[in-house]
Amino acid sequence: MGDIKLFNINDDEVSELEGKSVAVEKSLQTLMERHLEAILGIRFLATEYSTGKTHGGRIDTLGIDENNAPVIIEYKRSTNENVINQGLYYLDWLLDHKAEFTLLVMRKYGNDVAELIDWSIPRLLCIAGGFTKYDGHAVQQINRNIELYSYKQFGDELLMLDLVNATTAQTIEWDTVKQLPISNKSSEKTVTEYFKQSDDVLKNRYEAIRAFLLALGDDVQEKTLKHYIAFRRIKNFACIEFHPQMGRITVYAKVNPDSIEIEPGFTRDVRKIGHYGTGELEITINNDEQIEKAKTYLLKSYESS
């Protein structure tokens, strides 16, 4: 973030806002946990969560994200602290204590949310005033979902988060009862299976949408989940489903339906309608022309994420 500067413009006067790391990360942690869902799209579960006598540690922040993935957040408190290794240690603990985490979710958000926990994509978020090039290289060598965020606070009112590095692990589907990877297919089809069943026309339309979404910025991440493919920055901004039998693609975007003119057959307000992907606006793609029309809403969703 050394090349990012903010300026206050007041008539003909321009003054630079001085950015600084929050004094000792505890104040940042308190702020993040208070507004975790608004900032990162993560529902708060616990702070300073004890891993017990055997592991002898405390997870800074524990949560569950909008895709129902378990999330560990660690804050770097000193320049010589290896927050990445510490986070990986806690991530291994989490995967060995799925029942404990599930119970925590159940108590906080109910049984319905607990049943949706996706153990194939646990995430580790490391937040610090800055990272070295060696940190970025290290996470690229690890087959885990790791995100490095640097931050600066400008005065008392502005907080900047910068996603400086992210890695995506190979997705593994877990049997939550046996605590083992699933070896046999479920009777419920996944988004990957629906994509394979799609004809070339539908696949080509998806590739056109995908290319547009990835070209929106270097910070765009693509994640294939069970029921949809999520495109995200810090939070999801587009979730895609395939419907090969009807020859259509459905995209869920984070656009307020009240801010646009709804077009029946193309856009729909789904704030009160259950669906897998995250987003309040449903966009139905039946032809190439609708892809072009959808780009305006997808860009709007990207910019607000």
Side-chain angles (χ1 to χ4, degrees), residues 44-293:
F44 174 76
L45 283 173
T47 184
E48 301 297 332
Y49 190 80
S50 174
T51 57
K53 292 183 179 180
T54 302
H55 285 78
R58 287 185 179 275
I59 297 172
D60 286 346
T61 305
L62 200 56
I64 180 169
D65 72 11
E66 57 192 337
N67 298 315
N68 298 305
V71 181
I72 287 174
I73 305 176
E74 289 294 311
Y75 309 85
K76 190 173 184 178
R77 288 180 165 77
S78 62
T79 55
N80 61 353
E81 183 180 16
N82 195 326
V83 68
I84 299 173
N85 284 349
Q86 182 175 304
L88 288 170
Y89 178 78
Y90 291 140
L91 197 57
D92 283 342
W93 174 89
L94 180 64
L95 293 175
D96 286 335
H97 293 78
K98 295 187 182 73
E100 186 173 335
F101 180 86
T102 301
L103 183 60
L104 190 63
V105 174
M106 190 181 302
R107 288 173 175 171
K108 187 82 174 181
Y109 296 108
N111 195 51
D112 290 344
V113 176
E115 289 179 350
L116 294 174
I117 297 173
D118 191 341
W119 287 105
S120 69
I121 50 171
R123 297 166 60 197
L124 168 62
L125 277 59
C126 300
I127 302 177
F131 294 95
T132 68
K133 62 181 179 181
Y134 305 109
D135 293 328
H137 177 75
V139 299
Q140 294 296 329
Q141 313 307 311
I142 304 169
N143 185 35
R144 294 291 180 90
N145 296 296
I146 307 173
E147 297 156 45
L148 305 183
Y149 291 89
S150 60
Y151 71 90
K152 278 187 180 179
Q153 185 171 352
F154 296 86
D156 296 326
E157 297 180 349
L158 297 177
L159 174 68
M160 178 178 289
L161 279 182
D162 184 23
L163 177 60
V164 297
N165 212 309
T167 59
T168 300
Q170 180 179 358
T171 301
I172 300 173
E173 293 187 27
W174 288 85
D175 184 326
T176 55
V177 177
K178 298 180 180 179
Q179 308 295 305
L180 295 170
I182 294 175
S183 56
N184 60 321
K185 291 185 177 181
S186 167
S187 58
E188 189 176 12
K189 291 183 180 178
T190 66
V191 67
T192 302
E193 291 172 316
Y194 279 122
F195 178 75
K196 290 178 180 179
Q197 291 177 2
S198 301
D199 59 23
D200 289 341
V201 173
L202 201 65
K203 289 179 179 178
N204 289 337
R205 285 182 186 145
Y206 167 68
E207 290 301 332
I209 298 170
R210 178 177 182 269
F212 173 78
L213 295 174
L214 293 177
L216 288 173
D218 294 336
D219 57 348
V220 176
Q221 304 172 64
E222 178 184 13
K223 171 66 69 173
T224 301
L225 305 173
K226 183 176 182 180
H227 297 293
Y228 55 90
I229 299 175
F231 290 83
R232 61 194 306 271
R233 300 173 79 188
I234 292 178
K235 296 185 283 187
N236 291 353
F237 68 89
C239 296
I240 296 179
E241 298 176 3
F242 304 104
H243 304 276
Q245 291 182 335
M246 293 175 280
R248 76 183 187 202
I249 294 171
T250 301
V251 185
Y252 294 98
K254 289 186 176 176
V255 175
N256 184 350
D258 294 334
S259 67
I260 68 169
E261 183 177 348
I262 296 295
E263 299 180 47
F266 175 55
T267 53
R268 183 169 67 143
D269 181 351
V270 291
R271 285 175 291 189
K272 297 182 180 180
I273 300 174
H275 57 281
Y276 285 121
T278 59
E280 301 81 27
L281 182 69
E282 179 187 85
I283 306 170
T284 299
I285 307 294
N286 289 301
N287 52 58
D288 295 340
E289 289 74 18
Q290 289 177 329
I291 294 177
E292 295 304 313
K293 290 172 61 178

Side-chain angles (χ1 to χ4, degrees), residues 4-23:
I4 295 178
K5 294 181 181 292
L6 289 183
F7 296 89
N8 182 44
I9 301 175
N10 185 14
D11 294 330
D12 293 332
E13 294 184 3
V14 176
S15 58
E16 182 179 350
L17 296 177
E18 182 180 355
K20 61 181 180 180
S21 298
V22 182

